[in-house]
Amino acid sequence: MSVWAQPQQLKEVRGYVRVVAEDAIEWRHRCGWRNDVVVCDLHVDLASRKLASLKVEEPAETKKEKLKEAPKEVTEELVADEDFEDFPSDEAQHVNLVFIGHVDAGKSTIGGQILYLTGSVDERTIQKYEREAKDKSRESWYMAYIMDTNEEERAKGITVEVGRAYFETAKRRYTILDAPGHKNYVPNMISGASQADIGVLVISARKGEFETGFERGGQTREHAQLAKTLGVGKLVVVVNKMDEPSVQWSKERYDEIEKKMGPFLRSCGYNTKKDVQYIPISGLQGINMKTRMTPDICPWWNGQSLFEVLDGLQLVERDPKGPVRLPIIDKYKDMGTVVMGKIESGNIRRGQTLMVMPNKAVVKVLTIIRNNDEIERARPGENLRVRLSNIEEEDISPGFILSSIKRPISVVNEFDAQLQILDLLDHKAIFTAGYKAVLHIHAVVEECEILKLLVQIDPKTKKRMKRPVLFVKTGAIVECRIQVAQVICVELFKDFPQLGRFTLRDEGKTVAIGKVIGLEGASSSA
Ligand code: GDP
């Protein structure tokens, strides 16, 4: 069945949708699920970036009905096929980077420059981009072009999708998840940050720009807060545009930024001594990035270069012997069904039998692709594309998990959580049972409702308060039960922080951050 809807319904439909513009340019747009709506075509007027029309197709069978099907029989043989053994590897460690920060801080430029400096793009391509940028009177944007690969983004100079790029240093292999800075794109940033090991928070030192990004409503604050919630444990604060005429490598400006960021990052939960490092650079000129800068450029800096800082950060070890967990962030058809995502735990190998959750679809790993190379096995932390048998592309959605059969991930439509209420909307300033929001957890985006508040926590003493709680306001910490419109895969925060921490967003704003503390509503186990 197809339904044509009016443009203003865009906000209502949150799904992983295909966006087809009027002039047939097509790109993808990530949103969440809404009830049983699965596929939509959005017709977008490119000039105004407004939605012209929207076609929503309801699938013949809904996800829920599918789940009612008896799960495929999980035989001894299938389970025995899993292995929880580690394998020796002399490969450089793989690290995911997410670039965060206010629009125009220089994230794409830095990303492009890194690819250039590591030889991941050649001189000819750079020259081509330089010419293209010039033709559009956007000369200074050419480095960003390397990251912002679609036409529409180039024309506007904004990175819309979470672009991906790969580079290697002497010590490590990196994937850059270039997060967009524009306010409307925070949901994409969440999907990038949910997979990142290191956050590169880009700050513009240019006069006035640091201030705008850091003010209330600027993205510097929101991004840094979200990154911490999403599990980005290490932050490199890159003070960019140090070459700019209003800055000229001024120590005073650099110190001012560092001084203002410190208390704020501490309030986000970062240990600023252990987890945060600052560094001055020029992304546009590639200064202090691959190699240390010399005193003639900046006499007062005797610290490391950006690459040295990145290579030196201590990272959390992932468990190669743990149960397989690969949150699926995207999927497509290519000689079968290919899913994309990062392995959070466990090893996977070609030929292995696994299960896609929450469908409980038993699948076989046909091919493992890493940066266009096929590999036999992969360890946790790797970004992969995995070709699967026995499953149709339509049966997978972002947020599903490629999981171990023996130790499957929990599937819930209700769970208990501890929430920290950050900043409620002015017209919805009371948080109580019945509150509806959008839940972002690993790659899941799903509508949810607060069923009941359980207990309030004293923000100072962290003790549970005795009196019953009916509602709370901004600043409160509260435990509550949350119901989601569709079943989702989660883990307890204490067992698996990456799959147990989440944000609640309402009308495009992050209103609360939370962790999963109880799985009473869990219906899984194979
Ligand atoms: P993003 O929105 O954070 O990805 O920012 P972009 O990478 O698109 O950069 C925004 C603008 O800042 C562009 O005009 C860049 O050329 C400029 N820019 C970025 N890095 C630097 C830098 O290090 N120095 C100077 N002077 N300009 C920069």
Side-chain angles (χ1 to χ4, degrees):
M1 188 183 90
S2 296
V3 185
W4 285 89
Q6 289 306 306
Q8 52 268 40
Q9 283 183 284
L10 173 63
K11 193 165 97 211
E12 290 283 306
V13 181
R14 301 191 176 95
Y16 191 77
V17 295
R18 204 156 55 89
V19 179
V20 185
E22 299 283 60
D23 59 358
I25 291 182
E26 181 180 319
W27 76 97
R28 290 177 159 223
H29 183 87
R30 192 189 305 280
C31 319
W33 288 91
R34 180 187 146 81
N35 299 331
D36 297 327
V37 174
V38 177
V39 190
C40 331
D41 276 357
L42 307 184
H43 291 258
V44 175
D45 175 12
L46 273 187
S48 66
R49 277 175 158 247
K50 292 237 169 75
L51 190 72
S53 65
L54 167 65
K55 184 180 166 195
V56 182
E57 281 173 20
E58 269 178 52
E61 6 167 41
T62 63
K63 263 206 297 179
K64 265 195 184 134
E65 280 163 3
K66 278 204 179 136
L67 282 169
K68 280 189 212 135
E69 278 176 23
K72 300 222 168 50
E73 206 176 320
V74 178
T75 58
E76 294 262 316
E77 193 189 348
L78 283 180
V79 174
D81 197 33
E82 277 191 52
D83 73 49
F84 296 111
E85 289 307 306
D86 194 10
F87 58 89
S89 165
D90 52 7
E91 283 187 319
Q93 193 180 15
H94 177 261
V95 180
N96 275 315
L97 294 180
V98 67
F99 281 46
I100 56 184
H102 197 71
V103 63
D104 280 356
K107 299 176 292 297
S108 307
T109 304
I110 295 168
Q113 186 67 258
I114 289 178
L115 297 187
Y116 175 63
L117 291 172
T118 51
S120 314
V121 278
D122 58 35
E123 190 82 34
R124 283 224 335 256
T125 313
I126 301 264
Q127 282 166 2
K128 185 176 136 236
Y129 287 146
E130 212 170 349
R131 272 199 311 275
E132 276 182 39
K134 217 169 191 158
D135 289 347
K136 290 181 185 151
S137 307
R138 299 199 140 234
E139 285 92 334
S140 70
W141 246 282
Y142 73 95
M143 273 293 167
Y145 271 30
I146 303 170
M147 291 297 293
D148 303 348
T149 42
N150 101 26
E151 275 297 321
E152 197 234 3
E153 284 166 22
R154 277 187 210 165
K156 296 232 157 83
I158 300 174
T159 318
V160 182
E161 269 283 355
V162 178
R164 269 153 198 271
Y166 178 81
F167 70 97
E168 292 179 15
T169 61
K171 271 199 158 160
R172 284 179 171 163
R173 296 173 296 123
Y174 293 90
T175 299
I176 305 179
L177 315 160
D178 179 28
H182 196 278
K183 207 179 189 159
N184 297 342
Y185 304 130
V186 170
N188 282 353
M189 182 244 148
I190 293 176
S191 105
S194 72
Q195 297 178 66
D197 306 290
I198 300 177
V200 178
L201 175 58
V202 182
I203 308 274
S204 167
R206 190 174 169 187
K207 199 168 174 213
E209 285 191 355
F210 164 66
E211 287 73 14
T212 320
F214 197 61
E215 277 162 10
R216 206 168 170 231
Q219 279 104 54
T220 309
R221 273 176 184 278
E222 187 176 17
H223 282 191
Q225 181 96 60
L226 280 176
K228 179 68 191 169
T229 319
L230 292 163
V232 182
K234 300 281 173 184
L235 211 56
V236 178
V237 181
V238 166
V239 182
N240 187 35
K241 306 201 189 180
M242 289 296 292
D243 63 298
E244 224 272 333
S246 69
V247 190
Q248 296 182 30
W249 300 96
S250 149
K251 182 168 184 332
E252 288 68 41
R253 181 61 165 161
Y254 178 81
D255 288 344
E256 179 196 353
I257 293 173
E258 183 168 339
K259 210 165 134 212
K260 288 196 174 141
M261 288 305 294
F264 165 67
L265 292 175
R266 275 193 290 282
S267 78
C268 292
Y270 283 99
N271 178 334
T272 44
K273 286 216 178 74
K274 268 173 46 199
D275 301 334
V276 181
Q277 244 173 293
Y278 294 82
I279 180 167
I281 69 160
S282 162
L284 193 59
Q285 298 184 10
I287 297 172
N288 207 28
M289 293 180 65
K290 190 176 178 187
T291 51
R292 293 187 187 198
M293 59 186 160
T294 47
D296 56 314
I297 295 174
C298 182
W300 50 269
W301 180 256
N302 54 14
Q304 295 179 311
S305 68
L306 178 62
F307 282 20
E308 283 176 295
V309 170
L310 293 175
D311 280 350
L313 286 176
Q314 280 264 331
L315 299 175
V316 191
E317 279 298 316
R318 292 197 172 75
D319 186 6
K321 294 185 183 175
V324 172
R325 298 283 186 267
L326 182 148
I328 297 171
I329 60 153
D330 204 353
K331 42 99 195 226
Y332 58 93
K333 266 191 198 137
D334 176 25
M335 296 187 297
T337 300
V338 181
V339 295
M340 286 168 68
K342 184 181 81 174
I343 319 182
E344 291 291 352
S345 129
N347 286 318
I348 64 170
R349 65 176 161 77
R350 198 151 65 132
Q352 192 175 20
T353 309
L354 293 168
M355 190 153 69
V356 172
M357 296 293 274
N359 331 30
K360 296 183 178 160
V362 175
V363 294
K364 220 175 181 81
V365 174
L366 296 178
T367 329
I368 306 172
I369 309 158
R370 190 178 72 194
N371 309 315
N372 300 325
D373 297 325
E374 280 189 25
I375 54 175
E376 278 298 309
R377 340 182 246 192
R379 311 173 67 141
E382 298 282 0
N383 268 336
L384 302 173
R385 281 177 288 148
V386 183
R387 185 172 286 115
L388 302 173
S389 68
N390 302 336
I391 191 158
E392 295 299 323
E393 186 243 3
E394 298 80 51
D395 294 335
I396 301 178
S397 295
F400 282 18
I401 305 266
L402 187 58
S403 159
S404 152
I405 297 179
K406 204 172 190 172
R407 292 187 271 166
I409 188 164
S410 308
V411 174
V412 295
N413 61 8
E414 273 178 41
F415 62 92
D416 290 346
Q418 189 189 88
L419 285 181
Q420 186 179 346
I421 315 290
L422 296 180
D423 201 1
L424 293 169
L425 301 171
D426 291 341
H427 61 278
K428 271 172 92 177
I430 303 278
F431 189 88
T432 179
Y435 191 101
K436 290 196 174 102
V438 181
L439 171 86
H440 292 253
I441 184 164
H442 56 89
V444 168
V445 186
E446 183 64 74
E447 292 195 352
C448 72
E449 181 174 342
I450 307 304
L451 286 186
K452 86 178 156 203
L453 302 192
L454 302 168
V455 62
Q456 192 171 357
I457 314 274
D458 186 322
K460 286 209 184 76
T461 61
K462 303 281 185 255
K463 289 214 174 93
R464 299 165 134 234
M465 289 153 75
K466 289 226 168 66
R467 61 184 152 81
V469 53
L470 288 176
F471 68 90
V472 290
K473 292 184 178 174
T474 292
I477 301 178
V478 66
E479 290 180 9
C480 60
R481 176 153 300 181
I482 299 179
Q483 184 182 51
V484 272
Q486 299 272 355
V487 286
I488 57 170
C489 298
V490 298
E491 294 276 11
L492 287 176
F493 176 83
K494 69 175 171 56
D495 298 340
F496 231 126
Q498 292 294 5
L499 304 173
R501 54 161 63 93
F502 63 89
T503 59
L504 289 187
R505 292 175 50 83
D506 195 5
E507 298 185 13
K509 194 170 137 191
T510 308
V511 292
I513 56 181
K515 34 191 172 183
V516 179
I517 56 170
L519 295 174
E520 285 68 16
S523 64
S524 104
S525 80

